[in-house]
Amino acid sequence: MADRPVPVVEKRLMDVKLGELGTWMGGRDFTPNGLLSSVRRGYERYYNKYINVKKGGIGGLAMLLAGYITLSYVWEYNHIKHDRWRKYH
Amino acid sequence: MTMNLFNQFLSPTFLGLPLIAIALMAPCLLYPSPAPWWQSNRWTTLQNWFIGSFIKQILSPINTKGHSWALLLATLMVFLITLNTLGLLPYTFTPTTQLSLNMAFAVPLWLATVIMGFRNSPTHALGHLLPEGTPTPLVPILIIIESISLLIRPLALGVRLTANLTAGHLLIQLVSSAAFSLLLSQTTAASLAVGLLLLLTILEVAVAMIQAYVFVLLLSLYLQENV
C-alpha cells in the first residue's frame, strides 16, 4: 500500500526519514509563535490521550509528575553532585 | 561553597535562567480547563468539585459584596496547595519557601482589604481598632496595640507560610541524613529514625495543605471585616 506523497516539512517527526531531517528542521516554524503553538499542540496531544478520557486513572498525572521530578533532577544536578560522599552535609 | 543545611533552599538557576519561574508555572499545567460538554473527564470533575466546595465554605461568612473575591481566593488556594505539595516530591524546588514570594502574596492582598475597608466605611474600619466594652483608661494603649496588630498581619501571613514549609523541609533533610548515616553502624537507631521520617512525611503533606488553607482563610477573614 503506497502512502500519498506529503511534503517533507508537514510530516510528523516520527515519519521523517533520517536523510530528510535537515530539510524538515529547516522548514519548521521556529518563531516564538511557532514554538508556542508546537508546545500547545504537544500539550493537547498528551492531554487528550491520557487525561481527557472517560475513565482516566492516576497514570496520566503520575507520568507528568515523574517527568517533573526528572527535569528537576537534571536542573539541580550541578548543585547536588557535591553531596555524593561528603562527610559533613 | 557553603556546606550548610540551607543549600536546598537556594533559588536554583540553570544556565543563568532562574528556575523559580518554571517552578511557578508548574501548577498551570496540572489543572485542565473545564470543557463545554455535559460530562467532563474525571480530573476536571474532581477539580470542579474541590474548587466548588472550597469556595462555598470560604465565602459563607462573607456578605454578598465580598463574593467578587471568590476567583482570587480560589486561585490563591489552588496555587498554594499545588506549590506546597509539588515541593514534597524528590528533587523539586518549592517556591513558597522563599520569603520574597510569600510576602509578595501577603502584602498586596492584605493592603487591598485594608484600603477597601477604609474607602467604603472608614468609621467602621477605624472602629475595628477598639474592641467593644474596654474600660476607659485602657483605650489609648489598646488602640496602639490593635493598630500594631493590624500592621503586623501581612508579615505574619508571609512568615507563617515560609517558616512552616522551610522547617518541614529542613527536618526531613536532617532526619533522613541521620537515618542514612546510622544505617550500617546502629541499625536500631536508624530504624527509629526511619519511623520518624515516615511520620514527618505524613505531617509535611498535611502541613502543606493546611498552610495554604490557613493563608486563604485568614485573608478571607480580613476581607470579611472590611467589606
Side-chain angles (χ1 to χ4, degrees), chain B residues 175-206:
Chain B
V175 173
S176 58
S177 60
F180 187 66
S181 55
L182 285 174
L183 203 56
L184 294 173
S185 52
Q186 290 135 352
T187 323
T188 35
S191 53
L192 279 175
V194 166
L196 186 60
L197 193 62
L198 273 169
L199 292 173
L200 255 180
T201 316
I202 296 173
L203 176 69
E204 271 319 296
V205 174

PDB file of all heavy atoms in Angstrom, chain B residues 175-206:
ATOM      1  N   VAL B 175      16.579  14.478  59.387  1.00  0.00           N
ATOM      2  CA  VAL B 175      16.276  13.129  59.860  1.00  0.00           C
ATOM      3  C   VAL B 175      16.700  12.092  58.838  1.00  0.00           C
ATOM      4  O   VAL B 175      17.211  11.023  59.187  1.00  0.00           O
ATOM      5  CB  VAL B 175      14.779  13.014  60.190  1.00  0.00           C
ATOM      6  CG1 VAL B 175      14.408  11.594  60.517  1.00  0.00           C
ATOM      7  CG2 VAL B 175      14.445  13.904  61.354  1.00  0.00           C
ATOM      8  N   SER B 176      16.527  12.413  57.554  1.00  0.00           N
ATOM      9  CA  SER B 176      16.912  11.418  56.552  1.00  0.00           C
ATOM     10  C   SER B 176      18.418  11.256  56.483  1.00  0.00           C
ATOM     11  O   SER B 176      18.920  10.136  56.323  1.00  0.00           O
ATOM     12  CB  SER B 176      16.356  11.782  55.188  1.00  0.00           C
ATOM     13  OG  SER B 176      16.818  13.047  54.815  1.00  0.00           O
ATOM     14  N   SER B 177      19.188  12.357  56.657  1.00  0.00           N
ATOM     15  CA  SER B 177      20.641  12.187  56.633  1.00  0.00           C
ATOM     16  C   SER B 177      21.102  11.453  57.882  1.00  0.00           C
ATOM     17  O   SER B 177      22.049  10.658  57.819  1.00  0.00           O
ATOM     18  CB  SER B 177      21.357  13.522  56.478  1.00  0.00           C
ATOM     19  OG  SER B 177      21.038  14.370  57.535  1.00  0.00           O
ATOM     20  N   ALA B 178      20.409  11.668  59.027  1.00  0.00           N
ATOM     21  CA  ALA B 178      20.754  10.904  60.227  1.00  0.00           C
ATOM     22  C   ALA B 178      20.482   9.425  60.020  1.00  0.00           C
ATOM     23  O   ALA B 178      21.309   8.569  60.342  1.00  0.00           O
ATOM     24  CB  ALA B 178      19.932  11.422  61.413  1.00  0.00           C
ATOM     25  N   ALA B 179      19.309   9.116  59.459  1.00  0.00           N
ATOM     26  CA  ALA B 179      18.960   7.713  59.236  1.00  0.00           C
ATOM     27  C   ALA B 179      19.949   7.057  58.294  1.00  0.00           C
ATOM     28  O   ALA B 179      20.377   5.914  58.507  1.00  0.00           O
ATOM     29  CB  ALA B 179      17.546   7.617  58.664  1.00  0.00           C
ATOM     30  N   PHE B 180      20.348   7.776  57.244  1.00  0.00           N
ATOM     31  CA  PHE B 180      21.250   7.210  56.266  1.00  0.00           C
ATOM     32  C   PHE B 180      22.618   6.932  56.859  1.00  0.00           C
ATOM     33  O   PHE B 180      23.245   5.899  56.616  1.00  0.00           O
ATOM     34  CB  PHE B 180      21.356   8.151  55.066  1.00  0.00           C
ATOM     35  CG  PHE B 180      22.120   7.587  53.932  1.00  0.00           C
ATOM     36  CD1 PHE B 180      21.647   6.491  53.241  1.00  0.00           C
ATOM     37  CD2 PHE B 180      23.322   8.142  53.541  1.00  0.00           C
ATOM     38  CE1 PHE B 180      22.349   5.961  52.189  1.00  0.00           C
ATOM     39  CE2 PHE B 180      24.029   7.624  52.484  1.00  0.00           C
ATOM     40  CZ  PHE B 180      23.547   6.528  51.802  1.00  0.00           C
ATOM     41  N   SER B 181      23.125   7.899  57.662  1.00  0.00           N
ATOM     42  CA  SER B 181      24.477   7.703  58.184  1.00  0.00           C
ATOM     43  C   SER B 181      24.494   6.662  59.287  1.00  0.00           C
ATOM     44  O   SER B 181      25.513   6.016  59.517  1.00  0.00           O
ATOM     45  CB  SER B 181      25.058   9.026  58.672  1.00  0.00           C
ATOM     46  OG  SER B 181      24.184   9.607  59.604  1.00  0.00           O
ATOM     47  N   LEU B 182      23.346   6.450  59.972  1.00  0.00           N
ATOM     48  CA  LEU B 182      23.328   5.455  61.045  1.00  0.00           C
ATOM     49  C   LEU B 182      23.004   4.062  60.553  1.00  0.00           C
ATOM     50  O   LEU B 182      23.000   3.113  61.311  1.00  0.00           O
ATOM     51  CB  LEU B 182      22.263   5.828  62.080  1.00  0.00           C
ATOM     52  CG  LEU B 182      22.561   6.981  63.022  1.00  0.00           C
ATOM     53  CD1 LEU B 182      21.329   7.259  63.849  1.00  0.00           C
ATOM     54  CD2 LEU B 182      23.721   6.633  63.926  1.00  0.00           C
ATOM     55  N   LEU B 183      22.713   3.948  59.258  1.00  0.00           N
ATOM     56  CA  LEU B 183      22.131   2.703  58.749  1.00  0.00           C
ATOM     57  C   LEU B 183      23.005   1.480  59.012  1.00  0.00           C
ATOM     58  O   LEU B 183      22.519   0.416  59.369  1.00  0.00           O
ATOM     59  CB  LEU B 183      21.880   2.859  57.251  1.00  0.00           C
ATOM     60  CG  LEU B 183      20.825   1.944  56.649  1.00  0.00           C
ATOM     61  CD1 LEU B 183      19.509   2.111  57.361  1.00  0.00           C
ATOM     62  CD2 LEU B 183      20.663   2.240  55.179  1.00  0.00           C
ATOM     63  N   LEU B 184      24.319   1.651  58.806  1.00  0.00           N
ATOM     64  CA  LEU B 184      25.172   0.469  58.902  1.00  0.00           C
ATOM     65  C   LEU B 184      25.637   0.208  60.322  1.00  0.00           C
ATOM     66  O   LEU B 184      25.716  -0.930  60.763  1.00  0.00           O
ATOM     67  CB  LEU B 184      26.378   0.639  57.978  1.00  0.00           C
ATOM     68  CG  LEU B 184      25.988   0.662  56.509  1.00  0.00           C
ATOM     69  CD1 LEU B 184      27.188   1.016  55.655  1.00  0.00           C
ATOM     70  CD2 LEU B 184      25.457  -0.702  56.093  1.00  0.00           C
ATOM     71  N   SER B 185      25.954   1.293  61.080  1.00  0.00           N
ATOM     72  CA  SER B 185      26.551   1.064  62.393  1.00  0.00           C
ATOM     73  C   SER B 185      25.493   0.730  63.431  1.00  0.00           C
ATOM     74  O   SER B 185      25.536  -0.316  64.055  1.00  0.00           O
ATOM     75  CB  SER B 185      27.371   2.272  62.815  1.00  0.00           C
ATOM     76  OG  SER B 185      26.589   3.433  62.703  1.00  0.00           O
ATOM     77  N   GLN B 186      24.482   1.599  63.608  1.00  0.00           N
ATOM     78  CA  GLN B 186      23.473   1.323  64.634  1.00  0.00           C
ATOM     79  C   GLN B 186      22.129   1.187  63.942  1.00  0.00           C
ATOM     80  O   GLN B 186      21.411   2.171  63.751  1.00  0.00           O
ATOM     81  CB  GLN B 186      23.419   2.468  65.650  1.00  0.00           C
ATOM     82  CG  GLN B 186      24.631   2.531  66.524  1.00  0.00           C
ATOM     83  CD  GLN B 186      25.126   3.963  66.649  1.00  0.00           C
ATOM     84  OE1 GLN B 186      24.642   4.854  65.969  1.00  0.00           O
ATOM     85  NE2 GLN B 186      26.097   4.164  67.494  1.00  0.00           N
ATOM     86  N   THR B 187      21.779  -0.057  63.615  1.00  0.00           N
ATOM     87  CA  THR B 187      20.584  -0.241  62.790  1.00  0.00           C
ATOM     88  C   THR B 187      19.301   0.086  63.528  1.00  0.00           C
ATOM     89  O   THR B 187      18.348   0.574  62.924  1.00  0.00           O
ATOM     90  CB  THR B 187      20.511  -1.692  62.283  1.00  0.00           C
ATOM     91  OG1 THR B 187      21.837  -2.118  61.996  1.00  0.00           O
ATOM     92  CG2 THR B 187      19.690  -1.775  61.027  1.00  0.00           C
ATOM     93  N   THR B 188      19.249  -0.194  64.848  1.00  0.00           N
ATOM     94  CA  THR B 188      18.002   0.099  65.562  1.00  0.00           C
ATOM     95  C   THR B 188      17.740   1.597  65.593  1.00  0.00           C
ATOM     96  O   THR B 188      16.610   2.048  65.376  1.00  0.00           O
ATOM     97  CB  THR B 188      18.057  -0.405  67.008  1.00  0.00           C
ATOM     98  OG1 THR B 188      19.392  -0.258  67.487  1.00  0.00           O
ATOM     99  CG2 THR B 188      17.646  -1.852  67.092  1.00  0.00           C
ATOM    100  N   ALA B 189      18.797   2.366  65.852  1.00  0.00           N
ATOM    101  CA  ALA B 189      18.617   3.822  65.845  1.00  0.00           C
ATOM    102  C   ALA B 189      18.180   4.291  64.470  1.00  0.00           C
ATOM    103  O   ALA B 189      17.331   5.178  64.331  1.00  0.00           O
ATOM    104  CB  ALA B 189      19.914   4.510  66.255  1.00  0.00           C
ATOM    105  N   ALA B 190      18.759   3.646  63.449  1.00  0.00           N
ATOM    106  CA  ALA B 190      18.383   4.024  62.089  1.00  0.00           C
ATOM    107  C   ALA B 190      16.929   3.692  61.807  1.00  0.00           C
ATOM    108  O   ALA B 190      16.224   4.456  61.149  1.00  0.00           O
ATOM    109  CB  ALA B 190      19.284   3.320  61.085  1.00  0.00           C
ATOM    110  N   SER B 191      16.454   2.553  62.319  1.00  0.00           N
ATOM    111  CA  SER B 191      15.055   2.197  62.059  1.00  0.00           C
ATOM    112  C   SER B 191      14.111   3.152  62.781  1.00  0.00           C
ATOM    113  O   SER B 191      13.050   3.507  62.271  1.00  0.00           O
ATOM    114  CB  SER B 191      14.769   0.754  62.444  1.00  0.00           C
ATOM    115  OG  SER B 191      15.167   0.522  63.768  1.00  0.00           O
ATOM    116  N   LEU B 192      14.548   3.599  63.991  1.00  0.00           N
ATOM    117  CA  LEU B 192      13.738   4.607  64.688  1.00  0.00           C
ATOM    118  C   LEU B 192      13.673   5.886  63.871  1.00  0.00           C
ATOM    119  O   LEU B 192      12.607   6.514  63.745  1.00  0.00           O
ATOM    120  CB  LEU B 192      14.340   4.909  66.062  1.00  0.00           C
ATOM    121  CG  LEU B 192      14.002   3.921  67.170  1.00  0.00           C
ATOM    122  CD1 LEU B 192      14.767   4.280  68.421  1.00  0.00           C
ATOM    123  CD2 LEU B 192      12.518   3.937  67.444  1.00  0.00           C
ATOM    124  N   ALA B 193      14.839   6.254  63.312  1.00  0.00           N
ATOM    125  CA  ALA B 193      14.872   7.474  62.508  1.00  0.00           C
ATOM    126  C   ALA B 193      14.002   7.330  61.271  1.00  0.00           C
ATOM    127  O   ALA B 193      13.337   8.287  60.855  1.00  0.00           O
ATOM    128  CB  ALA B 193      16.319   7.799  62.115  1.00  0.00           C
ATOM    129  N   VAL B 194      13.975   6.112  60.702  1.00  0.00           N
ATOM    130  CA  VAL B 194      13.136   5.904  59.518  1.00  0.00           C
ATOM    131  C   VAL B 194      11.662   6.017  59.882  1.00  0.00           C
ATOM    132  O   VAL B 194      10.854   6.612  59.147  1.00  0.00           O
ATOM    133  CB  VAL B 194      13.451   4.540  58.869  1.00  0.00           C
ATOM    134  CG1 VAL B 194      12.396   4.164  57.868  1.00  0.00           C
ATOM    135  CG2 VAL B 194      14.795   4.588  58.205  1.00  0.00           C
ATOM    136  N   GLY B 195      11.305   5.467  61.076  1.00  0.00           N
ATOM    137  CA  GLY B 195       9.926   5.621  61.517  1.00  0.00           C
ATOM    138  C   GLY B 195       9.551   7.071  61.694  1.00  0.00           C
ATOM    139  O   GLY B 195       8.472   7.530  61.276  1.00  0.00           O
ATOM    140  N   LEU B 196      10.482   7.826  62.309  1.00  0.00           N
ATOM    141  CA  LEU B 196      10.250   9.263  62.486  1.00  0.00           C
ATOM    142  C   LEU B 196      10.097   9.953  61.156  1.00  0.00           C
ATOM    143  O   LEU B 196       9.256  10.849  60.972  1.00  0.00           O
ATOM    144  CB  LEU B 196      11.419   9.862  63.269  1.00  0.00           C
ATOM    145  CG  LEU B 196      11.277  11.313  63.666  1.00  0.00           C
ATOM    146  CD1 LEU B 196      10.070  11.494  64.540  1.00  0.00           C
ATOM    147  CD2 LEU B 196      12.531  11.772  64.398  1.00  0.00           C
ATOM    148  N   LEU B 197      10.897   9.507  60.190  1.00  0.00           N
ATOM    149  CA  LEU B 197      10.843  10.105  58.857  1.00  0.00           C
ATOM    150  C   LEU B 197       9.499   9.884  58.206  1.00  0.00           C
ATOM    151  O   LEU B 197       8.930  10.785  57.574  1.00  0.00           O
ATOM    152  CB  LEU B 197      11.957   9.498  58.001  1.00  0.00           C
ATOM    153  CG  LEU B 197      12.260  10.201  56.701  1.00  0.00           C
ATOM    154  CD1 LEU B 197      12.735  11.590  56.962  1.00  0.00           C
ATOM    155  CD2 LEU B 197      13.317   9.419  55.952  1.00  0.00           C
ATOM    156  N   LEU B 198       8.942   8.671  58.393  1.00  0.00           N
ATOM    157  CA  LEU B 198       7.625   8.383  57.817  1.00  0.00           C
ATOM    158  C   LEU B 198       6.572   9.308  58.404  1.00  0.00           C
ATOM    159  O   LEU B 198       5.752   9.900  57.694  1.00  0.00           O
ATOM    160  CB  LEU B 198       7.243   6.934  58.110  1.00  0.00           C
ATOM    161  CG  LEU B 198       7.727   5.919  57.101  1.00  0.00           C
ATOM    162  CD1 LEU B 198       7.522   4.519  57.636  1.00  0.00           C
ATOM    163  CD2 LEU B 198       7.003   6.078  55.795  1.00  0.00           C
ATOM    164  N   LEU B 199       6.621   9.440  59.753  1.00  0.00           N
ATOM    165  CA  LEU B 199       5.644  10.313  60.391  1.00  0.00           C
ATOM    166  C   LEU B 199       5.801  11.736  59.944  1.00  0.00           C
ATOM    167  O   LEU B 199       4.824  12.448  59.684  1.00  0.00           O
ATOM    168  CB  LEU B 199       5.797  10.221  61.919  1.00  0.00           C
ATOM    169  CG  LEU B 199       5.410   8.887  62.531  1.00  0.00           C
ATOM    170  CD1 LEU B 199       5.765   8.859  63.999  1.00  0.00           C
ATOM    171  CD2 LEU B 199       3.930   8.638  62.359  1.00  0.00           C
ATOM    172  N   LEU B 200       7.072  12.156  59.825  1.00  0.00           N
ATOM    173  CA  LEU B 200       7.343  13.525  59.388  1.00  0.00           C
ATOM    174  C   LEU B 200       6.790  13.781  57.999  1.00  0.00           C
ATOM    175  O   LEU B 200       6.249  14.845  57.717  1.00  0.00           O
ATOM    176  CB  LEU B 200       8.849  13.774  59.359  1.00  0.00           C
ATOM    177  CG  LEU B 200       9.398  14.612  60.475  1.00  0.00           C
ATOM    178  CD1 LEU B 200      10.879  14.752  60.281  1.00  0.00           C
ATOM    179  CD2 LEU B 200       8.745  15.966  60.482  1.00  0.00           C
ATOM    180  N   THR B 201       6.954  12.772  57.117  1.00  0.00           N
ATOM    181  CA  THR B 201       6.480  12.972  55.751  1.00  0.00           C
ATOM    182  C   THR B 201       4.974  13.132  55.722  1.00  0.00           C
ATOM    183  O   THR B 201       4.452  14.004  55.012  1.00  0.00           O
ATOM    184  CB  THR B 201       6.916  11.793  54.871  1.00  0.00           C
ATOM    185  OG1 THR B 201       8.260  11.483  55.168  1.00  0.00           O
ATOM    186  CG2 THR B 201       6.799  12.139  53.414  1.00  0.00           C
ATOM    187  N   ILE B 202       4.295  12.309  56.528  1.00  0.00           N
ATOM    188  CA  ILE B 202       2.837  12.442  56.583  1.00  0.00           C
ATOM    189  C   ILE B 202       2.468  13.824  57.110  1.00  0.00           C
ATOM    190  O   ILE B 202       1.572  14.509  56.585  1.00  0.00           O
ATOM    191  CB  ILE B 202       2.238  11.338  57.476  1.00  0.00           C
ATOM    192  CG1 ILE B 202       2.505   9.984  56.863  1.00  0.00           C
ATOM    193  CG2 ILE B 202       0.760  11.545  57.666  1.00  0.00           C
ATOM    194  CD1 ILE B 202       2.115   8.837  57.733  1.00  0.00           C
ATOM    195  N   LEU B 203       3.206  14.272  58.141  1.00  0.00           N
ATOM    196  CA  LEU B 203       2.952  15.597  58.701  1.00  0.00           C
ATOM    197  C   LEU B 203       3.170  16.671  57.656  1.00  0.00           C
ATOM    198  O   LEU B 203       2.397  17.622  57.539  1.00  0.00           O
ATOM    199  CB  LEU B 203       3.877  15.832  59.896  1.00  0.00           C
ATOM    200  CG  LEU B 203       3.757  17.224  60.509  1.00  0.00           C
ATOM    201  CD1 LEU B 203       2.436  17.365  61.188  1.00  0.00           C
ATOM    202  CD2 LEU B 203       4.893  17.476  61.479  1.00  0.00           C
ATOM    203  N   GLU B 204       4.247  16.496  56.885  1.00  0.00           N
ATOM    204  CA  GLU B 204       4.564  17.510  55.890  1.00  0.00           C
ATOM    205  C   GLU B 204       3.492  17.632  54.833  1.00  0.00           C
ATOM    206  O   GLU B 204       3.174  18.728  54.379  1.00  0.00           O
ATOM    207  CB  GLU B 204       5.905  17.203  55.211  1.00  0.00           C
ATOM    208  CG  GLU B 204       7.052  17.808  55.922  1.00  0.00           C
ATOM    209  CD  GLU B 204       6.753  19.190  56.405  1.00  0.00           C
ATOM    210  OE1 GLU B 204       6.523  20.079  55.566  1.00  0.00           O
ATOM    211  OE2 GLU B 204       6.731  19.415  57.630  1.00  0.00           O
ATOM    212  N   VAL B 205       2.952  16.498  54.429  1.00  0.00           N
ATOM    213  CA  VAL B 205       1.871  16.553  53.426  1.00  0.00           C
ATOM    214  C   VAL B 205       0.683  17.301  54.004  1.00  0.00           C
ATOM    215  O   VAL B 205       0.095  18.169  53.351  1.00  0.00           O
ATOM    216  CB  VAL B 205       1.477  15.127  52.997  1.00  0.00           C
ATOM    217  CG1 VAL B 205       0.294  15.166  52.084  1.00  0.00           C
ATOM    218  CG2 VAL B 205       2.627  14.451  52.311  1.00  0.00           C
ATOM    219  N   ALA B 206       0.373  16.990  55.280  1.00  0.00           N
ATOM    220  CA  ALA B 206      -0.751  17.691  55.909  1.00  0.00           C
ATOM    221  C   ALA B 206      -0.463  19.172  56.039  1.00  0.00           C
ATOM    222  O   ALA B 206      -1.305  20.015  55.716  1.00  0.00           O
ATOM    223  CB  ALA B 206      -1.022  17.076  57.275  1.00  0.00           C
TER     224      ALA B 206
END
